[in-house]
């Protein structure tokens, strides 16, 4: 069983929800699935339960479709080991060439297969993991921005701040202040 709550503070940041890992279950969260979730979250206040139920039903059907993809197109053990390596070592410098070698694939083939199975190229997957970790630390820790950039595998604090501001339209310090308010 997968239990989903379609309200609460956790669902407002789709970037973080995208990467939540449920042990033993691989979800292929596709843009249509995220669009439907965003539609539910942005739906105007209404007393019409049938409208909200219809949106939730559409979301669940897309979720089932994403799980069906796993059954028809299983992830190879080589790709799983590369992803496991990413999850374990995303706080260090990672090269896609290194991941391709772990998967015993050529660079181009690895990138193609990774994107096909996980819906995103490996370098973007790593970046999202790093940003998700950074957001978590910004919201739930007292670590400095410098410490957070180091914990999340960014090569420098300056690079982290620039990349964060580009992605979220605000520097990490402002993000932290805004979320605490």
């Amino acid at each position: 069983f997968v239990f989903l709550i379609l309200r609460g503070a956790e669902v407002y940041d789709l970037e973080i929800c995208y990467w939540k890992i449920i042990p033993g279950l691989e979800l292929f969260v596709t843009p249509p699935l995220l669009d439907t979730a965003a539609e539910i979250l942005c739906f105007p206040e209404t007393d019409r339960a049938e409208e909200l139920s219809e949106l939730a039903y559409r979301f669940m059907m897309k979720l089932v479709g994403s799980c069906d993809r796993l059954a028809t197109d299983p992830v190879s053990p080589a790709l799983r080991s590369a992803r496991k390596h990413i999850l374990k070592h995303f706080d260090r410098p990672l090269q896609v060439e290194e991941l391709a070698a772990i998967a015993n694939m050529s660079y181009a083939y690895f990138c193609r297969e990774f994107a096909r199975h996980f819906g995103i190229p490996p370098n973007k997957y790593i970046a999202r993991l790093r940003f998700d970790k950074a957001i978590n630390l910004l919201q739930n820790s007292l670590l400095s921005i410098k410490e957070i950039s180091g914990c999340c595998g960014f090569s420098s604090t300056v690079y982290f701040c620039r990349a964060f501001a580009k992605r979220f339209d605000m520097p990490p310090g402002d993000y932290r202040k805004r979320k605490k308010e």
Side-chain angles (χ1 to χ4, degrees):
F1 291 96
V2 175
F3 182 74
L4 297 173
I5 298 174
L6 297 177
R7 64 170 76 144
E10 296 81 25
V11 297
Y12 289 108
D13 194 336
L14 291 178
E15 293 290 332
I16 290 177
C17 289
Y18 185 98
W19 294 106
K20 288 210 172 156
I21 297 165
I22 301 168
L25 176 66
E26 292 190 40
L27 292 178
F28 291 91
V29 183
T30 60
L33 187 61
L34 289 176
D35 290 343
T36 305
E39 191 179 342
I40 292 169
L41 296 174
C42 299
F43 198 82
E45 292 293 323
T46 180
D47 293 350
R48 300 190 60 193
E50 64 275 4
E51 291 174 357
L52 293 173
S53 292
E54 188 261 332
L55 286 172
Y57 179 78
R58 249 191 313 164
F59 176 77
M60 292 302 293
M61 291 300 98
K62 288 185 180 175
L63 181 63
V64 167
S66 72
C67 290
D68 285 347
R69 179 175 165 197
L70 178 63
T72 59
D73 194 11
V75 178
S76 71
L79 282 176
R80 273 198 217 125
S81 66
R83 189 180 68 166
K84 186 184 260 185
H85 184 81
I86 293 170
L87 292 170
K88 189 173 182 182
H89 302 291
F90 73 92
D91 59 336
R92 298 186 214 160
L94 286 174
Q95 300 297 322
V96 177
E97 292 86 357
E98 171 190 356
L99 300 171
I102 289 170
N104 200 22
M105 297 177 182
S106 73
Y107 175 85
Y109 184 68
F110 173 76
C111 290
R112 228 180 7 260
E113 286 299 293
F114 193 97
R116 185 169 73 86
H117 284 282
F118 300 116
I120 185 171
N123 57 340
K124 288 188 179 185
Y125 186 89
I126 294 165
R128 283 203 179 174
L129 283 174
R130 289 177 174 164
F131 281 123
D132 290 347
K133 179 69 172 177
I135 286 172
N136 188 331
L137 291 172
L138 285 167
Q139 292 175 345
N140 302 310
S141 79
L142 298 175
L143 294 174
S144 69
I145 303 297
K146 182 177 182 177
E147 291 170 316
I148 290 172
S149 71
C151 290
C152 298
F154 290 92
S155 56
S156 75
T157 304
V158 172
Y159 174 71
F160 168 64
C161 291
R162 283 186 189 151
F164 192 96
K166 184 178 179 182
R167 184 173 179 110
F168 298 104
D169 295 324
M170 70 180 76
D174 290 353
Y175 183 90
R176 175 181 263 170
K177 287 177 194 168
R178 187 172 142 210
K179 289 297 180 174
K180 288 195 180 199
E181 293 169 1

